[in-house]
Amino acid sequence: MGGIDLVIIAVIAANVLMSFKGFKDSQFFNKYKFEVSSIKAGDKIRVLSSGFLHVDTTHLFVNMLTLYFFASSVTSFLGTTGFLLVYFGSLIIGNLLSLYFHKEDYAYTAVGASGAVVGVLYAAILLQPDMMLGLFFIIPMPAYVFGIGYLFYSIWAMKARRDNVGHDAHFGGAMGGYFITLLLSPWVLKEHLLMVILLAVPILVLFVLQKMGKL
């Protein structure tokens, strides 16, 4: 196992250890979860720490399995440091976008690495837009089609507000993966320009809708 693989395993291990601690210790869980009122009161560590907590083992397993599948694609192009920048940058940007959309909802709470994981997924899509993904792990689909569709679904879900999923954090994580990858690998603009433009469309749509007061 190389150094790059060890970094991926270390990130997964950190999620597993902190999540299981939270499963068993509600005081620990409540201290480090994303909570608007606490963050606005100055407890900024929650923006980062909440990304290593999960609601249950299924939530943890799905996030870590997705991370495991796509992290190696990112490390092969961006290296260990690039992967870590995408992971932590996407986590933080995802939670900051969530904070922006819920800034008046002081009771809002959330946990999960989904923002970071979606950021890694989007980095992988930008770097290898021709790769195929399995929708629900079964239906084959081009990565860029999945990426665009997922962001538009997230916008719809943010408007509908029919579940307890942090779609805004997922969207922010995708933005993090998108912009950080472009900063680290500007060659993507030349090699995959069409995909860069297509993946930017739902991001523009989100902020247009927000500006119009429709979110």
Side-chain angles (χ1 to χ4, degrees), residues 39 56 93-94 104 127 210:
I39 294 170
D56 52 33
I93 292 170
E104 303 302 329
L127 295 164
Q210 173 64 15

Side-chain angles (χ1 to χ4, degrees), residues 150-166:
Y150 182 79
L151 284 192
F152 276 118
Y153 163 75
S154 295
I155 292 173
W156 174 84
M158 290 164 69
K159 289 187 65 178
R161 299 184 181 183
R162 295 179 180 177
D163 55 35
N164 293 320
V165 177

Side-chain angles (χ1 to χ4, degrees), residues 37-55:
S37 59
S38 297
I39 294 170
K40 295 190 76 170
D43 198 2
K44 309 298 186 186
I45 188 64
R46 292 171 182 263
V47 173
L48 178 63
S49 63
S50 60
F52 289 86
L53 294 170
H54 290 80
V55 173

Side-chain angles (χ1 to χ4, degrees), residues 95-190:
N95 278 340
L96 289 178
L97 187 69
S98 185
L99 182 62
Y100 173 76
F101 278 105
H102 296 280
K103 56 183 178 292
E104 303 302 329
D105 185 0
Y106 282 73
Y108 182 82
T109 64
V111 293
S114 300
V117 172
V118 173
V120 170
L121 171 60
Y122 267 77
I125 291 173
L126 270 179
L127 295 164
Q128 293 182 289
D130 57 343
M131 69 178 174
M132 299 293 290
L133 300 181
L135 184 63
F136 305 116
F137 299 102
I138 299 173
I139 306 169
M141 176 181 294
Y144 70 91
V145 173
F146 173 85
I148 295 166
Y150 182 79
L151 284 192
F152 276 118
Y153 163 75
S154 295
I155 292 173
W156 174 84
M158 290 164 69
K159 289 187 65 178
R161 299 184 181 183
R162 295 179 180 177
D163 55 35
N164 293 320
V165 177
H167 298 286
D168 36 32
H170 296 181
F171 199 103
M175 288 173 54
Y178 179 89
F179 290 114
I180 294 170
T181 300
L182 291 180
L183 285 172
L184 295 176
S185 297
W187 60 265
V188 172
L189 286 165
K190 180 179 179 181

